[in-house]
Amino acid sequence: MTAIASLTVNGRRYTAPTQPTVVVCVDGCEPEYINQAIAAGRAPFLSSLRERGTCVTADCVVPSFTNPNNLSIVTGAPPSVHGICGNYFWDREAGAEVMMNDPKYLRTGTILAALADAGAKVAVVTAKDKLRALLGHRMKGICFSSEKAADVTPGVNGIADVLGLVGMPVPSVYSAALSEFVFAAGVKLMERERPDVMYLSTTDYIQHKSAPGVGAANDFYAMMDGYLARLDEMGATLVVTADHGMNAKTDAFGRPNVIYLQDVLDAAYGAGTTRVILPITDPYVVHHGALGSFATVYLSLPVAAAEAAARVAALPGMEEVLLRDDACRRFELPPDRVGDLVVVSERLSVIGTSRDRHDLSGLDVPLRSHGGISEQQVPLIANRAAHALPAGRRWRNFDAFDLAFNHLA
Ligand SMILES: [Zn+2]
């Protein structure tokens, strides 16, 4: 399928695949979702992998958000290498808060683009269009989103008439169907195009709404299980992982535990002296109110970083407050895109800016979110047995292509 035996991308060597390989990023897939779906008898295919497959628990990138982790998976590298450390950041050069979904912010090439350059047939399907340009950056092949499936053109997406291929209408951006469309498209592409390598990335609408094991969550994983079984039947090597986990961020009454950090800092130091950035912010905030467990804070004089860090760390619900350099070392982040402080809240708490900047009226169920260290553990599952796995290795979700190409029988 490719003219070469192996390729090196971002310093890591990958054996070129000899059979179709599908890497799936299941957005917000806390390991417990799969465990509970299997226990309920709703995921017979995934259950069958206990006998013949591979399952390890891997660490995602912190901040445990969608874009940094999707880009880590497709580059095989942490954000310190690829540069995407949030959905949203403070662009110091532009002096503005901006979305980070423009490929100009991407600092390195992807495994997908390198495979395509080596002659492999590559396809990418993502639920939300915000990821499409990043995932498909400089990649020859098929790349489209469920969200914009009606708008594909061969010139931009490498394919025409996706709706005809998939046989589903364009789903609402707030629906489980947006992810089902990704899986359905993946199966149809495998049937018709038989890509050598395919990357499928879903959306966490269901995971934000439903805890592991409840009806809607098990329905989602039953749906996914069926499509994965079809890909398996067609002979594909499958690796399934997640961009991040998901946890309830509420008290026992289901009320969100929110630390409004900008309000705290304004009260302490005065308005305009600090700027709290929430990298979870994206255009689709209805289901999480832009509340996650990770924030970064820019300080201006006379606020001293160590004093501010100590003040924030003393707030109830905080897990970790680090100065920029320590945070970038620990979480492998690009220092020029991180504030003076990195603030991580604990499992039951989220961080906001100011109370009046968060619209929680769209939260029709108790808040579930992510972003912190408490959502770092994700599944890394394959439908083949692994050989010679290094003992004691700390697996990362961005080892998905390494596992698929270098370690499976
Ligand atoms: Zn996500």
Side-chain angles (χ1 to χ4, degrees):
M1 74 185 47
T2 62
I4 54 169
S6 73
L7 70 172
T8 298
V9 184
N10 297 321
R12 301 182 73 177
R13 191 168 166 277
Y14 300 95
T15 305
T18 54
Q19 53 200 328
T21 299
V22 183
V23 171
V24 184
C25 178
V26 185
D27 199 322
C29 186
E30 189 75 21
E32 185 71 354
Y33 282 109
I34 293 178
N35 176 27
Q36 290 288 336
I38 289 174
R42 301 295 305 279
F45 168 69
L46 286 163
S47 179
S48 76
L49 299 183
R50 283 178 180 166
E51 305 301 322
R52 62 184 177 98
T54 300
C55 180
V56 296
T57 300
D59 284 339
C60 77
V61 164
V62 173
S64 47
F65 292 133
T66 300
N67 288 19
N69 277 286
N70 270 273
L71 271 296
S72 281
I73 294 167
V74 300
T75 60
S80 54
V81 174
H82 62 68
I84 306 298
C85 55
N87 304 335
Y88 184 83
F89 83 122
W90 169 249
D91 185 336
R92 266 191 269 217
E93 282 168 33
E97 297 181 22
V98 292
M99 299 301 299
M100 213 191 287
N101 50 14
D102 190 307
K104 72 182 179 189
Y105 297 116
L106 190 55
R107 291 176 165 162
T108 191
T110 69
I111 300 164
L112 301 167
L115 282 160
D117 286 342
K121 192 173 191 177
V122 182
V124 174
V125 187
T126 168
K128 291 181 184 172
D129 204 62
K130 69 173 180 178
L131 264 171
R132 182 186 49 81
L134 286 169
L135 294 175
H137 187 50
R138 295 195 176 139
M139 189 198 91
K140 297 189 290 265
I142 295 168
C143 182
F144 61 89
S145 68
S146 307
E147 184 185 354
K148 301 281 186 201
D151 308 329
V152 297
T153 63
V156 174
N157 307 97
I159 191 169
D161 190 20
V162 163
L163 296 183
L165 171 76
V166 179
M168 278 174 71
V170 178
S172 158
V173 75
Y174 296 112
S175 72
L178 199 74
S179 294
E180 175 162 11
F181 194 99
V182 172
F183 290 117
V187 165
K188 293 291 186 182
L189 285 171
M190 189 54 70
E191 280 172 4
R192 192 180 84 178
E193 307 284 332
R194 200 139 177 104
D196 300 313
V197 178
M198 186 154 64
Y199 182 70
L200 304 178
S201 183
T202 68
T203 177
D204 56 7
Y205 174 81
I206 287 293
Q207 290 79 4
H208 272 288
K209 294 245 183 228
S210 303
V214 309
N218 281 353
D219 290 346
F220 180 93
Y221 286 91
M223 174 276 290
M224 179 177 103
D225 192 78
Y227 287 106
L228 295 179
R230 289 284 302 119
L231 292 166
D232 177 74
E233 283 162 19
M234 286 188 273
T237 296
L238 291 173
V239 169
V240 178
T241 189
D243 53 349
H244 52 77
M246 186 73 71
N247 278 303
K249 300 290 181 180
T250 56
D251 65 13
F253 285 167
R255 299 175 301 199
N257 288 320
V258 187
I259 302 155
Y260 288 105
L261 189 56
Q262 189 69 68
D263 289 343
V264 170
L265 293 171
D266 286 355
Y269 302 114
T273 58
T274 65
R275 179 187 294 273
V276 175
I277 297 288
L278 306 177
I280 191 173
T281 307
D282 76 5
Y284 323 82
V285 298
V286 171
H287 51 314
H288 53 60
L291 294 167
S293 290
F294 184 100
T296 183
V297 186
Y298 290 83
L299 308 173
S300 54
L301 291 171
V303 181
E307 200 274 334
R311 182 182 294 271
V312 174
L315 298 171
M318 284 302 172
E319 176 159 349
E320 197 81 75
V321 180
L322 299 168
L323 302 183
R324 178 192 292 114
D325 289 351
D326 294 335
C328 290
R329 253 193 311 276
R330 172 154 172 200
F331 300 134
E332 303 169 277
L333 301 174
D336 60 324
R337 293 181 179 173
V338 172
D340 299 280
L341 305 182
V342 162
V343 181
V344 182
S345 61
E346 53 81 70
R347 185 174 72 85
L348 295 177
S349 298
V350 286
I351 303 164
T353 53
S354 305
R355 188 178 290 274
D356 61 9
R357 287 175 61 190
H358 292 272
D359 177 10
L360 305 188
S361 61
L363 289 177
D364 49 7
V365 292
L367 177 67
R368 301 175 54 76
S369 196
H370 52 97
I373 298 164
S374 45
E375 292 78 42
Q376 194 174 19
Q377 292 191 297
V378 294
L380 183 59
I381 292 172
N383 66 338
R384 310 258 188 268
H387 53 81
L389 286 187
R393 171 170 172 170
R394 181 197 184 198
W395 284 94
R396 308 299 303 270
N397 60 348
F398 60 84
D399 296 326
F401 282 98
D402 175 44
L403 178 67
F405 295 158
N406 298 336
H407 295 285
L408 297 182

